[in-house]
Amino acid sequence: MAVPGSSDKMLKKAQGFSSDQVFLDLEDAVAPVAKPAARTAVVQALNHGDWSGKTRVVRVNDADTEWAHEDVLQVVRGAGANLDCIMLPKVERVAHIHWLDVLLTQIERELGLPVGGIGIEAQIEGPAGLSEIDAIAAATSRTEALIFGPGDFMAAMKMPALTIGAPGASGFDPFDTVLMTIAMTARKYGLQAIDGPFALIRDLDGYRASAERAAAYGYDGKWVLHPGQIDTANDVFAPTQAIYDKAEMIIDAYDYYSSAAGGGLGAVMLGDEMIDEASRKLALVTAERGRLIDMPRTTRFDPPNS
């Protein structure tokens, strides 16, 4: 969930929301004149707020701005022990990641924090960043996620649209290639793929459609700009009970039938569906998501004649 770093009200309220991650924003959600005060407010919120169960992230200003260096210095020096990641927006070249990696290492050593303990989330928001995405993803072991930033990407591509995350009713989706490229790169390097915001905060059907599109590409989650979007995001990216049960059933059934006790079979029927090793891999993706949120199982696989 995006939380403006200049809003004391939102910094307090966000602690009670059911989002998996919060990022306290020093970039687009904060006016230039408010940025110095927002740094102080973010440090206070990290040190004294209750962020239990949430990944704590600060989005700094992009590396080419006059604010970025001081953002990192003040936030990490002030609250590095209570910070999980720095989100770097508008990553247009691999040098941006190298800069942040080196700076974080210097501050961690200065403070006696574990070197490499603060992760990086890289936001891809333009064609230059997309063209260097492999190098960006591989630049440092700190990187944990690649994030699609649709608003700036739409502007950079001169798309005829006015709403962030909603490219317009043109009959096709101009984000297809971008979403797939980010997802493929994230999987190649073992990173999370996160979709960006949908600005029509009261259009929950539109938000759901945008989230379902990202989920179909294998994304791990999507930003929310308003607490009203949280339940929809959690619903889209978590498996239903029936789907989770089926995934676990496939895994158990294939493990049994491929074992010596089950006949050492490589392909078998489970109900009306043929399953094999590829089925097990697909099922494991869904099962791992269900296990991550401690979903219970309501069905079990019973081996024949057991």
Side-chain angles (χ1 to χ4, degrees), residues 181-204:
T181 300
I182 293 173
M184 288 175 61
T185 308
R187 296 298 170 243
K188 179 178 178 180
Y189 293 99
L191 308 176
Q192 288 190 325
I194 305 296
D195 192 21
F198 183 82
L200 295 170
I201 59 175
R202 292 182 176 83
D203 181 5
L204 292 183

Side-chain angles (χ1 to χ4, degrees), residues 15-16 22 63 86 132 174 210 231 244 298:
Q15 297 171 40
V22 293
I86 292 288
E132 283 198 44
S210 181
D231 287 345
Y244 173 65
T298 62

Side-chain angles (χ1 to χ4, degrees), residues 150 154 159-170 172-175 198 210 213:
M154 293 162 72
M159 291 183 179
L162 294 175
T163 300
I164 295 171
S170 55
F172 72 98
D173 191 339
F175 290 154
F198 183 82
S210 181
R213 175 190 62 185

Side-chain angles (χ1 to χ4, degrees), residues 59-82:
R59 181 167 74 162
V60 297
N61 287 275
D62 75 82
D64 287 331
T65 66
E66 65 269 36
W67 304 293
H69 186 257
E70 197 63 27
D71 286 346
V72 178
L73 288 179
Q74 289 197 28
V75 168
V76 180
R77 281 175 172 164
N82 296 311

